[in-house]
Amino acid sequence: MKFGYTIAYVPDVAASLAFYETAFGLARRFLHESGMYGELDTGATTLAFAAHAMGAANFVGGHIHADSAPQPLGVEVGLVTDDVAGAHARALAAGARELAAPSSKPWGQIVSYVRCPDGTLVELCTPMQA
């Protein structure tokens, strides 16, 4: 078994891809012609987005829409960078909402949290030291 991908269900797949391209410098790998599914080039593990309509089709009982939930979901996307402050500022400039400014953690990482326009919770952090 290996971890293959994470899919966030969002109101507008193309808008989420565009936000991640602008805010985090990630490249778009794929956007289905229907606009219902897209992926970013994030390395060995794929970060993907699917339309809420696809979630409604996949889950009989529906799903929580992170974009309209008052608080972020209890799941985050972690993006590792050497420049957390710069990445944090770019995310805010692109339309993210700050949840926690960059700060040093006791274990040595610099970490911040933003909430993307699609509701996704993103942790920006420096690499863990061995």
Side-chain angles (χ1 to χ4, degrees):
M1 184 79 66
K2 72 175 187 172
F3 184 58
Y5 52 87
T6 294
I7 300 173
Y9 289 87
V10 299
D12 184 332
V13 173
S16 290
L17 292 172
F19 172 80
Y20 277 73
E21 289 170 320
T22 301
F24 307 120
L26 297 172
R28 184 179 306 206
R29 180 173 28 209
F30 172 77
L31 175 60
H32 188 267
E33 63 189 30
S34 69
M36 298 279 285
Y37 180 81
E39 298 178 351
L40 293 166
D41 187 3
T42 56
T45 303
T46 300
L47 177 57
F49 301 94
H52 284 310
M54 186 175 285
N58 289 340
F59 315 120
V60 176
H63 66 282
I64 295 171
H65 293 210
D67 58 298
S68 60
Q71 294 179 297
L73 300 179
V75 176
E76 68 184 50
V77 171
L79 298 176
V80 180
T81 178
D82 290 328
D83 182 13
V84 172
H88 187 87
R90 284 188 302 281
L92 297 181
R97 190 166 44 102
E98 181 176 78
L99 297 179
S103 66
S104 296
K105 297 298 183 184
W107 52 89
Q109 275 186 304
I110 298 172
V111 175
S112 77
Y113 294 93
V114 297
R115 191 166 180 193
C116 301
D118 63 20
T120 307
L121 172 61
V122 172
E123 173 188 351
L124 299 167
C125 62
T126 54
M128 285 289 287
Q129 302 301 315

